[in-house]
Amino acid sequence: MAQVEATTERVVAADAEKVFDALADYSGTRERLLPEHFSEYEVREGGDGEGTLVHWKLQATSKRIRDCLMEVTEPTDGELVEKDRNSSMVTTWRVTPGGEGSSRVVVTTTWKGAGGIGGFFEKTFAPKGLARIYDAMLAKLAAETEK
């Protein structure tokens, strides 16, 4: 099994603290940021950053649906890490100041991919599909925080 990684980033015209707070607000803002690929969103514990347990289904393709139960930690300032209890998937959100009231948001998701030919296709195409999903989410984040 090979490690698969997808990374997407965006500069948002809002302070890093405001952007981070929006991402960490699982009981409010976060659900509004999700594109149509996400369903069955439910906060099960916490709701604000560290200590949150949140569930959703992610439909990356017409045939591929992941049932995700994410534990949220904040290992460093400006960083949210979502670890899936149901798989090897880990998503890390990093928000850093970008200067002049802007911030840079980088989202990276990694997981252990399948082996064989299926793994080759997963490693080749899954990061692009996930990048499109996170591009949509980051656009909504920008619209939400640039108000």
Side-chain angles (χ1 to χ4, degrees):
M1 287 194 278
Q3 180 87 349
V4 182
E5 180 175 306
T7 300
T8 307
E9 66 180 87
R10 182 181 183 112
V11 173
V12 177
D15 289 335
E17 185 175 333
K18 181 178 183 180
V19 172
F20 181 83
D21 288 348
L23 281 171
D25 181 16
Y26 290 88
S27 61
T29 308
R30 181 58 86 93
E31 188 173 11
R32 292 194 303 271
L33 304 179
L34 300 176
E36 68 279 0
H37 300 87
F38 291 84
S39 64
E40 299 183 30
Y41 183 90
E42 176 189 19
V43 175
R44 296 193 177 166
E45 293 175 18
D48 186 23
E50 177 91 27
T52 296
L53 182 65
V54 63
H55 171 266
W56 60 67
K57 288 192 176 176
L58 172 59
Q59 185 164 1
T61 68
S62 61
K63 295 178 183 176
R64 181 73 170 121
I65 300 173
R66 279 187 184 261
D67 188 354
C68 302
L69 184 58
M70 309 301 275
E71 290 180 353
V72 179
T73 59
E74 293 182 33
T76 61
D77 283 349
E79 185 177 65
L80 284 170
V81 177
E82 302 166 346
K83 292 183 181 175
D84 188 7
R85 287 186 180 175
N86 298 332
S87 73
S88 62
M89 187 167 65
V90 177
T91 299
T92 303
W93 298 86
R94 287 185 185 87
V95 180
T96 55
E100 292 300 314
S102 70
S103 54
R104 181 173 173 249
V105 182
V106 179
V107 55
T108 302
T109 298
T110 60
W111 68 95
K112 291 183 178 86
I117 191 73
F120 169 78
F121 284 106
E122 181 180 22
K123 191 169 182 138
T124 302
F125 297 108
K128 293 173 185 161
L130 203 51
R132 282 191 298 274
I133 292 169
Y134 284 128
D135 278 340
M137 195 170 171
L138 291 172
K140 288 183 174 195
L141 175 66
E144 181 79 25
T145 58
E146 291 175 353
K147 293 177 182 176

